[in-house]
Every structure is written in C-alpha cells, then in structure tokens.
Amino acid sequence: MRTVIACMLIVVLGVAAFAQVSAGFRVVTSEAARRLAVREQPPLMPDVGLVDARSTGDSLRADLAADGRIALVDFIYTRCESVCRVLGNEFQQLQQAILEQGLQERVRLISISFDPTHDTPDALARYARQMQADPAVWRMATVADARELRRLLDAFGVVVVPDGMGGFVHNAAIHTLGADGRLTRIDDLGAIRSALRAAAARSGERAQ
C-alpha cells in the first residue's frame, strides 16, 4: 500500500511540475512558454542606443516611439551566408508584401547586427544595397555601444556563439515590437505571413 501511495505521489508531483513548465499544459518547450508569456505580458525592451546605415544614432525605444509604426525585428550579421541569408530573404519578402499591401505607414522592418566591430555604418549601407532595402521601410542598424549588446540579445532571447572561424552560430526569429517598446510576439522563420498579418492587425487596433 505504501508503494502505491508513493507512486501516486510521484505522479502527482510530476504532473504538477509539468503543468508549471508548460504554462498550464498549453506549451511543451521552454521557448514556447517564453513566446506565450511574451504574448500575454509583453516585456519592455531595453533602451539601447543604435546607429544605422546612415550613421544616424538614437535609442531603440526613442526610435520606435518617434516612428509610431509596428516594427518587425530580426538579428543578423552582414558577413553571414547561412541563417542570416535566410532572414534577409524573408525580410525581402516582407518588404515586398508591405509595399504591395500598402502597409508601409503601419509596419516597418528593422535588422539589428550583433557584430558591431565589423558592421559599421558603411558595411550596413552595403548590406542594405545588396538586399535592396527601401530605407523608408527597412532599417539596418547595430548597437552604438558594444557593451550594451548582451543586454539587448538577452532581452530578445537571441543566442550568439562564435563559431571559431570568425563568424557566429545563432538562433533566428521575427520579433514584433510596438511603438511603446514592448515585445508583443515572436515568430519562427517561414512565418512571415502570420507575422505581417498580426502586425497589421495590431497597428489597425492602435489607429482606432
């Protein structure tokens, strides 16, 4: 009898623990739990200083507030030929969709480099030309102070690891930011249509 009770107690504790880490059985992975938490309680992103391809400097939150549009944000480095290339192609498609759907007054794109040593304003400008980025829709930037990079990456949940060959291994996603500087949504690569629909819907709600 004691063995049965002990086994039942273990099962109950296990179920309770799983319920906690899975946000009440709604998600399974810690990343999925984080994304759910972001949607339910959008966190405020750090007010890190940025510098862009035109050598224009401001802080992330100041830029978002002054612009007023919903921003879809990714993290890249311009020398990358793997994941960043996929991200670049996705953002090219997003830019085209934004323009075709007439959403350029409501939604924009920001690519932030986590390689400020190499990705100077000139390098960002070259990358913008290579990607055929419309500066009115798609901004290229990096941190103005490299010491603030870790704080920014941690807030967005971006993991960057040197690959030992001068490049980086990193995860990738599309992050939706409101004009108030809060992270409201995280989408996987390939989910550009749903990310754009959600951003357009949210900008429409703000305009009402």
Side-chain angles (χ1 to χ4, degrees):
M1 188 65 177
R2 290 181 179 177
T3 302
V4 173
I5 293 174
C7 290
M8 290 179 63
L9 181 59
I10 291 172
V11 170
V12 169
L13 292 175
V15 170
F18 182 74
Q20 183 175 4
V21 300
S22 63
F25 302 107
R26 289 178 290 174
V27 294
V28 176
T29 67
S30 59
E31 175 59 16
R34 187 177 81 90
R35 294 185 182 195
L36 179 62
V38 162
R39 293 196 190 191
E40 294 184 342
Q41 293 185 316
L44 184 65
M45 293 295 96
D47 201 20
V48 171
L50 299 178
V51 60
D52 65 16
R54 293 175 289 184
S55 298
T56 301
D58 53 14
S59 72
L60 175 62
R61 295 213 305 259
D63 174 51
L64 292 168
D67 185 89
R69 289 177 288 180
I70 300 296
L72 300 179
V73 180
D74 70 351
F75 287 82
I76 54 96
Y77 69 107
T78 64
R79 296 173 294 122
C80 177
E81 294 295 333
S82 54
V83 175
C84 300
R85 182 63 59 185
V86 176
L87 278 167
N89 292 336
E90 296 247 334
F91 266 42
Q92 281 182 322
Q93 295 178 54
L94 276 170
Q95 176 178 255
Q96 181 178 355
I98 288 169
L99 293 172
E100 288 178 349
Q101 297 176 34
L103 296 172
Q104 60 269 28
E105 300 300 321
R106 296 164 57 185
V107 183
R108 66 173 175 146
L109 309 174
I110 304 176
S111 290
I112 301 177
S113 169
F114 49 75
D115 187 16
T117 301
H118 291 90
D119 288 339
T120 61
D122 286 344
L124 292 171
R126 287 193 298 272
Y127 183 73
R129 289 192 296 270
Q130 179 184 347
M131 303 308 295
Q132 299 179 326
D134 181 342
V137 178
W138 187 0
R139 184 188 188 198
M140 309 287 182
T142 190
V143 292
D145 185 346
R147 292 173 296 183
E148 294 189 305
L149 179 60
R150 176 50 53 195
R151 186 161 64 105
L152 185 67
L153 295 178
D154 288 346
F156 278 90
V158 177
V159 178
V160 177
V161 180
D163 63 7
M165 297 178 289
F168 302 93
V169 177
H170 62 100
N171 59 337
I174 300 172
H175 307 82
T176 301
L177 287 181
D180 58 359
R182 293 189 178 276
L183 176 63
T184 62
R185 183 182 175 101
I186 304 172
D187 288 282
D188 290 319
L189 296 184
I192 56 175
R193 289 183 177 85
S194 61
L196 182 56
R197 281 197 302 268
R202 187 165 185 270
S203 66
E205 291 172 359
R206 290 179 62 254
Q208 294 177 358

